[in-house]
Amino acid sequence: MELLAAIDAGASARPVLDAAVAFATAIGATVRAVHVTEDGADTPIRLAEERGVPLTLLHGDECDALLAELRREDVAACVAGTHGTLTDRPVGHVATQLLEGSSKPVLVVPFEPRLRPLRRVLVPIEGSVESVEPVPGLLRPVLEQGLEVVAVHVLTSGTAPAMLDHPDWGLEPWGSEFLERYLPEASDIDLRTGPVGRHIVAAAENAEADMVVLTWSRVLSAGRATVVREVLEHCSVPILLVPLDPDDPDADALDGVAERSVSRARPGSADR
Amino acid sequence: MMQAQGALDRRFEAVVVDVAVLEAEKGALLEAALESAAAVGLHVVVLTDRNGQLDDALRHLARRGITGSLILLACREPGLIDRPDLARAVRLTEGTTVLQAIEDQVQRRREGRTPAIDDDAAWVVHLPVDASQERVAEAIGALADGRVGLRGSREEDGSRTQPLFVASGVYDDGDPPRLLEGPVWIDLAIEGGGRGGRRLDLRTGVLVRDDPDSGCSSFRFLSATGRAAGALRAEAPADLLRAGGPFGDGADLERHRVGGSELARSTVPGGGGIVVAVDDRWRLAAGRRSVERIAAWAADPTTSPSWEDAVDRLEAASGAGFDRLLEEHRAAWADRWQLAGVDIGGSDADQLDARFSVFHLLGAAAGGGEAAVGPRGLTGTAYGGHVFWDADVYVLPALAALAPAAARAMLEYRIRRLPAARHMARAQGREGARFPWESARTGVDVTPSVGRRPGGELVPIRTGPQEEHIVADVAWAAAEYAAWTGDIAFLEGTGRDLLVETARYWASRIRVDHDGTGHILGVMGPDEYHEVVDDNTYTNVLARWNLRRGADLLERTGGDGTLAARWRDLAACLVDGWDGRRGAHEQFAGYWGLEHLLAEDIAPRPFTADLLLGAERVAGSQLIKQADVMLLHHMVPDEVTNGSLAGDLAFYEPRTAHGSSLSPAVHAGLFARAGDPDRGLELFRMAARIDLDDLTGTAGGGLHLATMGGAWQALAYGFLGLRPRPDHLEVAPSLPASWRSLEIGVAFHGRRVRVRAERGGVEVRCEEPVRVRVGRGPVQDCRPPGRTFEVDDPPPGRRAR
């Protein structure tokens, strides 16, 4: 099983390579760096040599070349970097195309990430079996080595419990059942209310997670995947994006969460 | 004449019937067959004269819990069995001999085959099959005998399951304490047993499993006869079921053997425990392995039960044998349903849901000793088995009418904790008895002081210190028990302090202002969205009622008359929130000035407004969590302003989020009384299906027993308009348009009464004379077997007081 580390000649290359090595170590995979060269590859070559990782130089259109390499049967996933945090398209056009074009998981390494050995991952759960289905299988190798999985669910009008009898007891059993139903591999669940993307980032910090695992629909265009974009933009640890089947009705589930706003009272609701 | 010899109908191969009803000529062969049948506990009824005998036989069998497909019918002419009421009976076909049928059934009994249930859709609940709903299935299929509960887990356990065996009132030593998890005794080494075919037969209190793909089947029950015993039979292809122990390998249990019996025990260091003893009998025949397991147990809240306690009970149960245990158990349930059965004409679905509620209510408590009934009863560990007002206000009234001894045991729990309640009152500078919001073994307050909101923010939990209405709730429960049972001796004797000491508490709690008005400041009502309020109407009116009843009881029992007069004066000066200008009760002081929000402007109901809008926003609004003022109209209708039901309902219903499972049923009954039973039916269905549809997402942790009690109260007090009075039973039906009839049974003053309402008429059936008042008519005598009363169906809206 092989991880591809897509490195460029810029500052994001070293953290991408470091994250790839750490993730590969955790899941028992090997790492191969890839670089689409235009005019020389001194920096990528040097970095790969320093990390003891083989390097493949690719030519042609950057995204096409990376996707072609990613489609190889022995490749399990790809690791790629982002540019910055203050743009509308934080993941850069190549990385965006890579994410949208890949049917395999992509580990996105933020600019200036906080990298640690992989001990704990945060998995946001939307509230359907299908939306988390790929996750346990993907993490099984590390689960067997004692990786801790923490879940987060941001309550919406569609998922919040319809009734809570006693405030001191009610949410705990609801959360436990939610976890049992959707991600029993997780040791705990962090329940929140409010803006989904922002709370996923906060939950990752609160849990001191080393990685966030997000399933998604593979569409990062404007107006879609609001939560994914927000997490990519603000999270300081690597984010593993796991594509759902595009034909799966839940593929847009997490993307759509932010768009399903809690119904607010109309101002001045009349008395009877 | 005997039928001609022929091949046995293959339909019978998977059926073990309980009774064979035969029409045959007696002879030596039949006599021999009857002897064989008797030896294995197969009942055979032989009809020699079909005129009336069959009907008599069927009635007799029904009283034993034997109905439908538990009966095998064989007759010389088909016309005998060509009746709708025998549609589910197993019938012989042409070519099958009577003797062959008996011999076949005898053989299956010898092989210990899994019995059948009467698969009557009116009584059978199918458990969810999906793996993600496994814990919900376990709760729905839970069996309980009022003292112990066993969840409906599959015998092979597995991931995502929560098998559980708990005993009422037996807690661990945690902080806070939770129901102690006892030895689960249904473990079987089944591989590939399949997920399908689990059904709960409400009529006979049996959980069966019948997976067509794997061929695995099982049948289990907890004896309803007070034996502290239960039984399980299971069978499967021999390669799927291996012989093994009853308690599994993983649980942390003390284990022991006595002779051939296996035992296991869960204990609390220095405290109570649960011990279970099991006898297994394994068989292997024709490629199928089967097990017959009999279990017995003992539990104690304060001391570890001995091995011998369980062994003695096991010997008695094993001595009776599986078939006898089952026979007794079915008959006990048949007797229960004769009183407690609910019949709804026009809606099979509502009828089944109502029966489901009653079934689990009857398993929640048993007569004798004390009964600590938690919000989930004995079906799950949610809420730790702590006792809240859920028990007093929602569960007890139903049991007072359906199983009075069980209700009495619930009151005994409170009586034994009066010392702790008095101590709590004194510690707070009050007098009398202050029952805690949450109570477990000792009666001290076990309410957590801190909770965690979504996002992790720690917030103080104020229900413990502020939700004082529980003091009056306990008193009300005692009075409601006496109202149904007529047990005035209890009220004036052992139960007296439940009303008098609670009245004493309120007397010390009320502050009288210089203008002479009485107030109760700084409380929380049932609506927990508004945490610390003054003069919560529910609390004040119930406290007023408590003071008045306490004063009456004090005088009747030779107490201080001056004190009683003082209590009445306090009751009279207590403000009650009535606003004549608005025609409604103000829920608490200042409520009218809050933000005007209506529930359906926020989200479809039910919903948790505090989660969706934030606790602070909701607290500043008129949105309420659950019935608060409205609960008074249900509990103490004579204490609220005459004619205020319609006005309060019109005001509060649109503002009620029903964010508590306790809420919908209350409104259901009140809508019926207010002349809108169809709206009441919508809310009744919300309540009755709360766990079957897992509306709260928490049914996996146990069934909502208080909701079930509320659903029964909606039927009884709402749609049938029952109200127990000191000398008569009131009946004032208000049926939804889709119901042709509603019939329930109650025990009123020690007499079994069944009340049936149809359009324009009420039928009351009784075994002893009882006095009733139907509609606006006079109080009249009703003598056995009963009588019919005409009643004018009121136009909508006219019924409200």
Side-chain angles (χ1 to χ4, degrees):
Chain A
M1 185 167 56
E2 190 175 69
L3 278 185
L4 289 186
I7 57 175
D8 59 14
S12 65
R14 183 181 296 278
V16 166
L17 209 47
D18 289 344
V21 169
F23 189 39
T25 303
I27 64 173
T30 58
V31 176
R32 177 164 60 89
V34 292
H35 173 71
V36 182
T37 182
E38 291 174 359
D39 51 358
D42 291 346
T43 301
I45 291 171
R46 177 173 48 79
L47 282 174
E49 280 180 1
E50 281 177 14
R51 291 304 258 119
V53 166
L55 173 67
T56 301
L57 295 177
L58 306 174
H59 304 275
D61 176 80
E62 190 173 357
C63 188
D64 290 344
L66 287 172
L67 282 173
E69 204 63 19
L70 193 47
R71 279 193 286 270
R72 291 165 62 98
E73 193 176 332
D74 52 345
V75 174
C78 180
V79 185
T82 63
H83 286 296
T85 64
L86 298 177
T87 60
D88 286 338
R89 302 186 66 178
V91 192
H93 78 280
V94 171
T96 299
Q97 288 180 55
L98 179 66
L99 288 171
E100 291 182 330
S102 171
S103 62
K104 297 180 181 178
V106 177
L107 182 67
V108 180
V109 182
F111 190 69
E112 296 180 342
R114 195 182 320 152
L115 289 179
R116 292 182 291 250
L118 194 60
R119 296 164 295 108
R120 185 180 299 127
V121 301
L122 181 82
V123 181
I125 307 177
E126 177 269 340
S128 71
V129 172
E130 293 75 16
S131 68
V132 292
E133 188 184 13
V135 175
L138 196 68
L139 296 178
R140 186 160 294 117
V142 264
L143 281 169
E144 291 169 355
Q145 293 176 41
L147 176 79
E148 184 184 359
V149 177
V150 177
V152 59
H153 174 69
V154 184
L155 299 164
T156 69
S157 59
T159 65
M163 297 170 173
L164 276 181
D165 289 341
H166 300 282
D168 42 340
W169 287 94
L171 213 49
E172 179 200 337
W174 187 89
S176 297
E177 178 65 25
F178 190 87
L179 210 54
E180 276 294 330
R181 204 167 285 192
Y182 300 118
L183 196 67
E185 293 83 0
S187 60
D188 196 9
I189 184 165
D190 184 346
L191 294 174
R192 292 170 176 257
T193 54
V196 178
R198 193 181 310 167
H199 277 288
I200 291 174
V201 174
E205 289 173 8
N206 187 57
E208 296 184 339
D210 307 309
M211 181 189 297
V212 175
V213 180
L214 266 179
T215 60
W216 77 307
S217 65
R218 296 165 56 190
V219 179
L220 259 181
S221 56
R224 299 289 300 277
T226 311
V227 170
V228 172
R229 281 191 281 112
E230 194 162 4
V231 174
L232 288 173
E233 186 172 324
H234 295 290
C235 194
S236 60
V237 297
I239 304 109
L240 184 64
L241 287 180
V242 182
L244 293 173
D245 182 345
D247 294 328
D248 189 314
D250 283 297
D252 281 335
L254 192 61
D255 304 345
V257 160
E259 279 74 42
R260 283 200 300 274
S261 61
V262 172
S263 169
R264 300 291 177 187
R266 294 192 298 275
S269 296
D271 202 345
R272 71 174 178 90
Chain B
M1 299 294 293
M2 294 300 162
Q3 298 279 341
Q5 292 285 339
L8 185 63
D9 190 322
R10 294 191 69 81
R11 283 182 303 149
F12 302 152
E13 287 187 359
V15 173
V16 174
V17 301
D18 246 81
V19 174
V21 179
L22 312 174
E23 188 178 42
E25 289 179 4
K26 291 201 174 179
L29 289 176
L30 181 60
E31 291 296 326
L34 294 179
E35 275 186 34
S36 297
V40 294
L42 170 63
H43 297 280
V44 181
V45 177
V46 181
L47 307 179
T48 56
D49 174 2
R50 66 165 60 182
N51 293 326
Q53 279 192 353
L54 179 59
D55 290 329
D56 287 343
L58 293 176
R59 273 193 292 273
H60 172 76
L61 294 174
R63 283 197 293 273
R64 311 295 297 169
I66 298 168
T67 57
S69 49
L70 295 180
I71 301 171
L72 183 150
L73 285 172
C75 61
R76 289 171 288 192
E77 293 170 22
L80 174 69
I81 55 177
D82 202 13
R83 292 167 32 168
D85 59 329
L86 297 174
R88 296 187 312 281
V90 180
R91 303 151 185 234
L92 296 182
T93 59
E94 191 176 316
T96 307
T97 67
V98 166
L99 295 181
Q100 231 177 340
I102 296 178
E103 183 185 331
D104 174 69
Q105 286 298 312
V106 167
Q107 183 56 29
R108 285 188 222 168
R109 280 174 180 265
R110 285 185 183 137
E111 291 171 0
R113 301 296 300 275
T114 306
I117 59 168
D118 179 10
D119 252 311
D120 185 349
W123 287 95
V124 174
V125 174
H126 291 252
L127 273 55
V129 176
D130 193 274
S132 69
Q133 300 282 310
E134 180 58 32
R135 288 159 306 287
V136 177
E138 291 174 324
I140 290 173
L143 301 173
D145 69 354
R147 294 192 174 85
V148 298
L150 176 70
R151 278 166 66 96
S153 313
R154 289 179 296 139
E155 290 80 10
E156 62 268 43
D157 202 333
S159 65
R160 300 188 176 192
T161 64
Q162 277 179 359
L164 186 74
F165 185 67
V166 291
S168 176
V170 181
Y171 299 94
D172 63 19
D173 57 355
D175 183 20
R178 295 176 180 257
L179 284 177
L180 179 69
E181 297 187 20
V184 177
W185 49 271
I186 57 167
D187 197 79
L188 291 175
I190 298 176
E191 284 190 30
R195 305 196 63 80
R198 276 185 297 174
R199 289 140 21 244
L200 176 66
D201 179 21
L202 304 176
R203 178 162 29 207
T204 60
V206 167
L207 181 69
V208 295
R209 172 187 181 180
D210 217 339
D211 185 75
D213 296 329
S214 65
C216 290
S217 65
S218 70
F219 180 106
R220 77 170 86 134
F221 61 96
L222 302 189
S223 175
T225 63
R227 278 183 176 269
L232 160 72
R233 261 197 196 154
E235 58 176 275
D239 59 339
L240 297 186
L241 172 60
R242 290 179 287 108
F247 300 112
D249 296 326
D252 184 19
L253 300 169
E254 291 178 74
R255 295 169 189 260
H256 189 52
R257 289 188 72 90
V258 174
S261 306
E262 290 198 50
L263 294 93
R265 185 166 59 191
S266 301
T267 53
V268 179
I274 305 169
V275 60
V276 180
V278 169
D279 278 339
D280 272 357
R281 183 178 171 191
W282 291 86
R283 296 181 177 94
L284 180 63
R288 290 186 71 78
R289 183 168 284 118
S290 66
V291 60
E292 179 180 288
R293 175 171 297 166
I294 296 178
W297 47 81
D300 192 286
T302 55
T303 58
S304 175
S306 69
W307 301 114
E308 288 71 30
D309 291 337
V311 168
D312 290 345
R313 290 175 178 173
L314 181 63
E315 282 179 5
S318 292
F322 182 95
D323 293 314
R324 174 64 57 80
L325 291 177
L326 179 58
E327 182 184 8
E328 293 174 352
H329 170 77
R330 279 180 177 151
W333 268 105
D335 185 63
R336 286 179 175 183
W337 287 118
Q338 248 198 337
L339 170 65
V342 177
D343 299 325
I344 298 176
S347 176
D348 292 343
D350 294 332
Q351 178 177 265
L352 183 62
D353 295 344
R355 289 173 177 174
F356 178 76
S357 289
V358 172
F359 175 83
H360 284 290
L361 283 167
L362 292 175
E370 65 173 46
V373 178
R376 308 300 178 93
L378 300 166
T379 69
T381 57
Y383 297 92
H386 295 181
V387 182
F388 295 73
W389 72 312
D390 307 39
D392 309 280
V393 171
Y394 291 87
V395 176
L396 188 141
L399 291 182
L402 303 179
R408 176 66 183 85
M410 292 177 69
L411 291 171
E412 188 65 24
Y413 171 86
R414 291 297 191 189
I415 290 168
R416 294 181 184 182
R417 281 148 190 86
L418 272 167
R422 290 189 181 98
H423 179 81
M424 187 172 179
R426 279 198 305 273
Q428 295 178 357
R430 312 280 182 212
E431 298 174 23
R434 163 61 162 113
F435 286 98
W437 181 242
E438 277 185 55
S439 175
R441 186 172 67 81
T442 65
V444 302
D445 189 2
V446 291
T447 314
S449 58
V450 171
R452 196 176 290 275
R453 280 193 184 153
E457 179 193 3
L458 290 176
V459 293
I461 298 295
R462 295 195 169 94
T463 48
Q466 245 76 53
E467 209 155 348
E468 299 175 53
H469 63 77
I470 188 166
V471 174
D473 299 334
V474 171
W476 180 83
E480 198 68 3
Y481 164 80
W484 278 109
T485 61
D487 191 354
I488 303 303
F490 161 77
L491 218 51
E492 295 179 354
T494 318
R496 173 186 178 274
D497 283 353
L498 292 182
L499 274 104
V500 170
E501 291 302 296
T502 49
R504 198 186 306 277
Y505 174 82
W506 291 119
S508 71
R509 183 65 174 84
I510 292 168
R511 189 189 80 184
V512 180
D513 275 352
H514 63 275
D515 62 358
T517 53
H519 306 272
I520 302 176
L521 306 179
V523 295
M524 187 187 308
D527 164 36
E528 290 160 346
Y529 288 165
H530 300 90
E531 287 196 325
V532 184
V533 300
D534 297 333
D535 288 328
N536 167 250
T537 292
Y538 176 84
T539 305
N540 281 25
V541 172
L542 213 53
R544 180 174 71 190
W545 169 89
N546 198 166
L547 284 163
R548 288 171 174 166
R549 290 297 298 265
D552 291 346
L553 193 53
L554 187 66
E555 284 183 332
R556 274 211 315 274
T557 54
D560 185 342
T562 304
L563 184 61
R566 169 69 179 147
W567 289 357
R568 291 194 182 96
D569 288 343
L570 280 171
C573 78
L574 197 51
V575 299
D576 68 359
W578 173 246
D579 185 331
R581 186 175 62 84
R582 291 175 184 255
H585 291 84
E586 186 179 26
Q587 184 172 298
F588 53 81
Y591 177 84
W592 296 144
L594 298 178
E595 181 187 3
H596 295 180
L597 285 183
L598 301 182
E600 294 202 347
D601 290 338
I602 311 302
R605 289 181 286 180
F607 64 91
T608 42
D610 54 344
L611 287 184
L612 298 190
L613 296 182
E616 288 73 23
R617 173 94 191 275
V618 172
S621 78
Q622 290 184 346
L623 279 177
I624 64 174
K625 180 179 182 181
Q626 63 192 77
D628 190 297
V629 168
M630 298 318 304
L631 201 46
L632 292 171
H633 289 277
H634 168 62
M635 293 168 66
V636 288
D638 298 336
E639 278 288 331
V640 289
T641 302
N642 196 24
S644 62
L645 172 59
D648 279 337
L649 196 54
F651 183 85
Y652 284 105
E653 163 61 13
R655 289 161 174 79
T656 306
H658 294 301
S660 163
S661 67
L662 304 179
S663 190
V666 174
H667 281 227
L670 292 175
F671 267 111
R673 280 183 41 213
D676 190 356
D678 289 339
R679 176 66 180 130
L681 180 59
E682 292 175 16
L683 292 162
F684 168 79
R685 285 171 173 164
M686 187 187 293
R689 291 204 61 83
I690 198 166
D691 292 315
L692 294 167
D693 293 339
D694 196 19
L695 195 60
T696 67
T698 61
L703 302 178
H704 292 75
L705 212 61
T707 311
M708 294 172 166
W712 183 89
Q713 291 189 58
L715 291 175
Y717 293 76
F719 297 111
L720 264 188
L722 297 186
R723 186 72 57 175
R725 297 297 187 185
D727 66 338
H728 67 275
L729 182 64
E730 278 186 8
V731 185
S734 175
L735 299 187
S738 58
W739 289 2
R740 288 192 312 274
S741 62
L742 169 63
E743 177 177 330
I744 71 172
V746 293
F748 175 66
H749 291 197
R751 297 161 189 156
R752 289 189 166 195
V753 181
R754 287 198 64 84
V755 181
R756 179 184 179 85
E758 297 180 355
R759 303 289 167 209
V762 169
E763 181 191 4
V764 178
R765 298 198 303 280
C766 54
E767 296 171 354
E768 295 175 65
V770 67
R771 307 202 81 210
V772 298
R773 179 175 183 239
V774 178
R776 288 183 287 273
V779 177
Q780 301 182 65
D781 290 328
C782 179
R783 298 186 186 285
R787 60 182 287 191
T788 302
F789 302 84
E790 285 188 8
V791 60
D792 295 327
D793 292 324
R798 284 291 301 276
R799 185 174 305 284
R801 288 186 62 248

